[in-house]
Amino acid sequence: FVLGRGWLCYVGNLEGGWSTFWSVANENGKTKMWDARWGIGAELNFTFWVAIFAVPFQNLTAFGVDQLNAQRMFCCRNAGDAKKAIIASSVGQVLTYLMLLVGAALFVFYYVNPPEAGSAIANALGFQKEVGGEKVAGTLVDGAVPKNGDMVFPVWIVTQLPPGVAGLILAGLFAAAISSLDSILAALSQTTISLIYNPEKNQNLDQERLVQQSRMWVVIWGVGLTLFTLLMRVVQEKSGVNILPLAFGMTSYTMGPLLGMFLCALLGIGSLRGIVIGAVISFLMTMFLRADLWILLKGAGISFDWLGHLPMYEVDEGKLKGLVNANWMWPVGTIVTFLGGVIGAKMKR
């Protein structure tokens, strides 16, 4: 609500109002809603066809298999309430459009009102402008574009909003982050306890001791994830790799195998060995389709230039780039893992 009001207030104060906002955003491709291009290229990241054929596998895994969301369904009183929660969550995705408009408004704001050269804001955002097809840093005139996109929203909050509203938005952001973090820690703890003690089958376990063990694993996982975050920060500084897209891209590795395992368990078919082999094949396929690992290793001083000769990569200005959209690994990973389980079961017979 606050974000929506802030966006409306900004558009209302912009010279020319809505027409200026829409024209600037539209001219720079910030209002494009449909991309019907067909293909599997890496540049075709989120097209209409990805949304129709690939994203359903990702959503089915996220809402039905991923422990982060599944445990929330378990907290409902019955299956009917769980269904209502999933439907309400899906309807709530409409708010995403509001967030997209906020992003477009931020682009227009700094496009029309770039900060002064050499200022703290300009340095934080890393402004640059295309001159003759080349991006020139520090050229702060109309049409300048911030290089550090992750910093745009935080800088705008602390420099443009009134103190009360800025504090409210920051509190909301921290609350949203903490709500996700505690869910992740609880899910990891619950999964670990289930793996070690198998309380679903062993009903004679001391419940008080299980609670204590669960709390201990929350702390262990919290410390582990904190250390991993610090490690990623060091990797980012040394290699220059943008960690946020890398983190979101990890779903390409895990969601397909997770859903394939779930389908084997749901249908009561498949062998453990076949499922593991299928999951490993899916993981390796994703690893070779995405260039993340090789970029990180190259940042550490380990060169993999020979990968540039493979059909799924190309070398552009000395940088290795993947040529295949890894989002397609959501359905492919599911199918490969499922078939691995089924074939393994038949071979076992």
Coordinates of all heavy atoms in Angstrom, one line a residue, residues 238-280:
K238 N 35.9 -10.5 -5.4 CA 37.1 -10.9 -6.2 C 36.7 -11.2 -7.6 O 37.6 -11.1 -8.5 CB 37.7 -12.2 -5.5 CG 38.3 -11.9 -4.1 CD 39.0 -13.1 -3.6 CE 39.7 -12.8 -2.3 NZ 40.8 -11.8 -2.5
S239 N 35.5 -11.7 -7.9 CA 35.2 -12.1 -9.3 C 34.3 -11.1 -10.0 O 34.2 -11.2 -11.2 CB 34.5 -13.5 -9.2 OG 33.3 -13.4 -8.6
G240 N 33.6 -10.2 -9.3 CA 32.7 -9.3 -9.9 C 31.4 -9.9 -10.4 O 30.7 -9.3 -11.1
V241 N 31.1 -11.1 -9.9 CA 29.9 -11.8 -10.3 C 28.7 -11.3 -9.5 O 28.9 -11.1 -8.3 CB 30.0 -13.3 -10.1 CG1 28.7 -14.0 -10.4 CG2 31.1 -13.9 -11.0
N242 N 27.6 -11.0 -10.2 CA 26.4 -10.5 -9.5 C 25.8 -11.7 -8.8 O 25.3 -12.7 -9.4 CB 25.4 -9.9 -10.5 CG 24.3 -9.1 -9.7 OD1 24.1 -9.3 -8.5 ND2 23.7 -8.2 -10.5
I243 N 25.8 -11.7 -7.4 CA 25.4 -12.9 -6.7 C 23.9 -13.1 -6.7 O 23.4 -14.2 -6.6 CB 25.9 -12.8 -5.2 CG1 27.4 -12.7 -5.2 CG2 25.4 -13.9 -4.3 CD1 28.1 -14.0 -5.7
L244 N 23.1 -12.0 -6.8 CA 21.6 -12.1 -6.7 C 21.1 -13.0 -7.8 O 20.3 -13.9 -7.5 CB 21.0 -10.7 -6.6 CG 19.5 -10.7 -6.3 CD1 19.3 -11.3 -4.9 CD2 19.0 -9.2 -6.3
P245 N 21.4 -12.7 -9.1 CA 20.9 -13.6 -10.1 C 21.4 -15.0 -10.0 O 20.7 -16.0 -10.3 CB 21.4 -12.9 -11.4 CG 21.7 -11.5 -11.1 CD 22.1 -11.5 -9.6
L246 N 22.6 -15.1 -9.5 CA 23.2 -16.5 -9.3 C 22.4 -17.2 -8.2 O 22.1 -18.4 -8.4 CB 24.6 -16.4 -8.8 CG 25.3 -17.7 -8.4 CD1 25.5 -18.6 -9.6 CD2 26.7 -17.4 -7.8
A247 N 22.0 -16.6 -7.1 CA 21.2 -17.2 -6.1 C 19.8 -17.6 -6.6 O 19.3 -18.8 -6.4 CB 21.0 -16.3 -4.9
F248 N 19.1 -16.7 -7.4 CA 17.8 -17.1 -7.9 C 17.9 -18.2 -9.0 O 17.0 -19.0 -9.1 CB 17.2 -15.8 -8.6 CG 16.6 -14.9 -7.6 CD1 17.1 -13.6 -7.4 CD2 15.5 -15.3 -6.8 CE1 16.5 -12.8 -6.5 CE2 14.9 -14.4 -5.9 CZ 15.4 -13.2 -5.7
G249 N 19.1 -18.2 -9.7 CA 19.3 -19.3 -10.7 C 19.5 -20.7 -10.1 O 19.4 -21.7 -10.8
M250 N 19.7 -20.8 -8.8 CA 19.9 -22.1 -8.2 C 18.7 -22.9 -8.3 O 18.8 -24.2 -8.2 CB 20.3 -21.9 -6.7 CG 21.7 -21.3 -6.4 SD 23.0 -22.3 -7.1 CE 23.4 -21.4 -8.6
T251 N 17.5 -22.3 -8.5 CA 16.3 -23.1 -8.6 C 16.3 -24.0 -9.8 O 15.7 -25.1 -9.9 CB 15.0 -22.2 -8.7 OG1 15.2 -21.3 -9.8 CG2 14.9 -21.3 -7.4
S252 N 17.1 -23.6 -10.8 CA 17.2 -24.5 -12.0 C 17.9 -25.8 -11.7 O 17.6 -26.8 -12.4 CB 18.1 -23.7 -13.1 OG 17.5 -22.5 -13.4
Y253 N 18.7 -25.8 -10.7 CA 19.4 -27.1 -10.3 C 18.5 -28.0 -9.5 O 18.6 -29.2 -9.6 CB 20.7 -26.7 -9.4 CG 21.8 -26.1 -10.2 CD1 21.8 -24.7 -10.3 CD2 22.8 -26.8 -10.8 CE1 22.9 -24.0 -11.0 CE2 23.8 -26.2 -11.5 CZ 23.8 -24.8 -11.6 OH 24.8 -24.2 -12.3
T254 N 17.7 -27.4 -8.6 CA 17.0 -28.2 -7.6 C 15.5 -28.5 -7.9 O 15.0 -29.6 -7.5 CB 17.1 -27.5 -6.2 OG1 16.5 -26.2 -6.3 CG2 18.5 -27.3 -5.8
M255 N 14.8 -27.6 -8.5 CA 13.3 -27.8 -8.5 C 12.9 -28.9 -9.5 O 12.0 -29.6 -9.1 CB 12.7 -26.5 -9.0 CG 12.7 -25.4 -7.9 SD 11.5 -24.1 -8.2 CE 11.5 -23.4 -6.5
G256 N 13.6 -29.1 -10.6 CA 13.3 -30.2 -11.4 C 13.4 -31.6 -10.7 O 12.5 -32.4 -10.7
P257 N 14.6 -31.9 -10.1 CA 14.8 -33.2 -9.4 C 13.8 -33.3 -8.2 O 13.3 -34.4 -8.0 CB 16.2 -33.1 -8.9 CG 16.9 -32.2 -9.9 CD 15.9 -31.2 -10.3
L258 N 13.5 -32.2 -7.5 CA 12.6 -32.3 -6.4 C 11.2 -32.8 -6.9 O 10.6 -33.7 -6.3 CB 12.5 -31.0 -5.7 CG 13.5 -30.6 -4.6 CD1 13.3 -29.2 -4.1 CD2 13.4 -31.6 -3.5
L259 N 10.7 -32.2 -8.0 CA 9.4 -32.5 -8.5 C 9.4 -33.9 -9.0 O 8.4 -34.7 -8.9 CB 8.9 -31.5 -9.5 CG 7.5 -31.7 -10.0 CD1 6.5 -31.7 -8.9 CD2 7.2 -30.6 -11.1
G260 N 10.5 -34.4 -9.7 CA 10.6 -35.7 -10.2 C 10.6 -36.7 -9.1 O 9.9 -37.8 -9.2
M261 N 11.3 -36.5 -8.0 CA 11.2 -37.4 -6.8 C 9.8 -37.4 -6.2 O 9.3 -38.5 -5.8 CB 12.2 -36.9 -5.7 CG 13.7 -36.9 -6.2 SD 14.7 -36.2 -4.9 CE 16.3 -36.1 -5.8
F262 N 9.2 -36.3 -6.1 CA 7.8 -36.2 -5.6 C 6.9 -37.0 -6.4 O 6.0 -37.8 -5.8 CB 7.4 -34.8 -5.5 CG 6.0 -34.6 -5.0 CD1 5.6 -34.7 -3.7 CD2 5.0 -34.3 -5.9 CE1 4.3 -34.6 -3.3 CE2 3.6 -34.2 -5.5 CZ 3.3 -34.3 -4.2
L263 N 6.9 -36.9 -7.7 CA 6.0 -37.7 -8.6 C 6.3 -39.2 -8.4 O 5.3 -40.0 -8.4 CB 6.2 -37.3 -10.0 CG 5.8 -35.8 -10.4 CD1 6.1 -35.5 -11.8 CD2 4.3 -35.7 -10.1
C264 N 7.5 -39.6 -8.3 CA 7.8 -41.0 -8.1 C 7.2 -41.5 -6.8 O 6.6 -42.6 -6.7 CB 9.3 -41.3 -8.1 SG 10.1 -41.2 -9.7
A265 N 7.4 -40.7 -5.7 CA 6.8 -41.1 -4.4 C 5.3 -41.1 -4.5 O 4.6 -42.0 -3.9 CB 7.3 -40.2 -3.4
L266 N 4.7 -40.1 -5.2 CA 3.2 -40.0 -5.2 C 2.6 -41.2 -6.0 O 1.6 -41.7 -5.5 CB 2.8 -38.7 -5.9 CG 1.3 -38.4 -6.0 CD1 0.8 -38.1 -4.6 CD2 1.1 -37.1 -6.9
L267 N 3.3 -41.6 -7.0 CA 2.7 -42.7 -7.8 C 3.2 -44.1 -7.3 O 2.7 -45.1 -7.8 CB 3.2 -42.5 -9.3 CG 2.6 -41.3 -10.0 CD1 3.2 -41.2 -11.4 CD2 1.1 -41.3 -10.0
G268 N 4.1 -44.1 -6.4 CA 4.6 -45.3 -5.8 C 5.5 -46.1 -6.7 O 5.5 -47.4 -6.7
I269 N 6.2 -45.5 -7.6 CA 7.1 -46.2 -8.6 C 8.5 -45.6 -8.5 O 8.7 -44.5 -7.9 CB 6.5 -46.0 -10.0 CG1 6.4 -44.6 -10.4 CG2 5.2 -46.7 -10.2 CD1 5.9 -44.4 -11.8
G270 N 9.4 -46.3 -9.0 CA 10.8 -45.8 -9.1 C 11.7 -46.3 -8.0 O 11.2 -46.6 -6.9
S271 N 12.9 -46.5 -8.3 CA 13.9 -47.0 -7.3 C 14.8 -45.8 -6.9 O 14.9 -44.8 -7.6 CB 14.8 -48.1 -8.0 OG 15.6 -47.5 -9.0
L272 N 15.3 -46.0 -5.7 CA 16.1 -44.9 -5.1 C 17.4 -44.7 -6.0 O 17.8 -43.5 -6.3 CB 16.6 -45.3 -3.7 CG 17.5 -44.3 -3.0 CD1 16.9 -42.9 -2.9 CD2 17.9 -44.8 -1.6
R273 N 18.0 -45.8 -6.4 CA 19.2 -45.6 -7.3 C 18.9 -44.9 -8.6 O 19.6 -44.0 -9.0 CB 19.8 -47.0 -7.6 CG 21.0 -46.9 -8.4 CD 21.5 -48.3 -8.8 NE 21.9 -49.0 -7.5 CZ 22.4 -50.3 -7.5 NH1 22.5 -51.0 -8.7 NH2 22.8 -50.8 -6.4
G274 N 17.8 -45.3 -9.2 CA 17.4 -44.6 -10.4 C 17.1 -43.1 -10.2 O 17.4 -42.3 -11.1
I275 N 16.4 -42.8 -9.1 CA 16.1 -41.4 -8.9 C 17.3 -40.6 -8.6 O 17.5 -39.5 -9.2 CB 15.1 -41.3 -7.6 CG1 13.8 -41.9 -8.0 CG2 15.0 -39.9 -7.1 CD1 12.8 -41.9 -6.8
V276 N 18.3 -41.2 -7.9 CA 19.5 -40.5 -7.6 C 20.3 -40.2 -8.9 O 20.8 -39.1 -9.2 CB 20.4 -41.2 -6.6 CG1 21.8 -40.6 -6.5 CG2 19.7 -41.2 -5.2
I277 N 20.4 -41.3 -9.8 CA 21.1 -41.1 -11.0 C 20.4 -40.1 -11.9 O 21.1 -39.2 -12.5 CB 21.1 -42.5 -11.8 CG1 22.0 -43.5 -11.0 CG2 21.7 -42.3 -13.2 CD1 22.0 -44.9 -11.6
G278 N 19.1 -40.1 -12.0 CA 18.3 -39.1 -12.8 C 18.6 -37.7 -12.2 O 18.8 -36.7 -13.0
A279 N 18.6 -37.5 -10.9 CA 18.8 -36.2 -10.3 C 20.2 -35.7 -10.6 O 20.5 -34.5 -10.9 CB 18.6 -36.3 -8.8
V280 N 21.2 -36.6 -10.5 CA 22.6 -36.2 -10.8 C 22.8 -35.8 -12.3 O 23.4 -34.8 -12.6 CB 23.6 -37.4 -10.5 CG1 25.0 -37.1 -11.0 CG2 23.6 -37.6 -9.0

